[in-house]
């Protein structure tokens, strides 16, 4: 009976640990992807500003 209780506890602790690790990795990946998207949008905004600037020069 004690072995069954031990196995049950080990399975529950393992599942909790796996859930915590998965959640941590999910949040980490979410933060990394958000940072990459912000960097990309900054680059696009700079390029668009440059294009607008060149078009304004050309129209004058």
């Amino acid at each position: 009976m004690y072995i069954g209780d031990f196995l049950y506890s080990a399975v529950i602790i393992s599942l909790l640990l796996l859930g915590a690790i998965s959640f941590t990795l999910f949040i980490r990946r979410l933060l990394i992807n958000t940072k990459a998207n912000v960097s990309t949008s900054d680059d696009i905004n700079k390029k668009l500003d440059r294009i607008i600037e060149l078009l304004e020069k050309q129209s004058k």
Side-chain angles (χ1 to χ4, degrees):
M1 190 71 176
Y2 292 112
I3 294 175
D5 290 340
F6 174 74
L7 288 176
Y8 180 74
S9 297
V11 167
I12 296 298
I13 291 171
S14 298
L15 288 175
L16 288 173
L17 188 62
L18 181 64
I21 291 170
S22 297
F23 183 72
T24 303
L25 291 174
F26 171 74
I27 295 298
R28 182 174 177 255
R29 182 170 299 183
L30 192 66
L31 290 174
I32 289 171
N33 287 341
T34 302
K35 186 184 288 186
N37 287 342
V38 168
S39 175
T40 303
S41 68
D42 285 346
D43 291 343
I44 291 173
N45 285 336
K46 287 178 184 176
K47 288 178 183 178
L48 286 173
D49 288 342
R50 178 71 177 143
I51 291 171
I52 291 170
E53 183 181 308
L54 290 172
L55 287 172
E56 286 175 349
K57 276 186 181 178
Q58 187 179 21
S59 67
K60 289 182 179 179

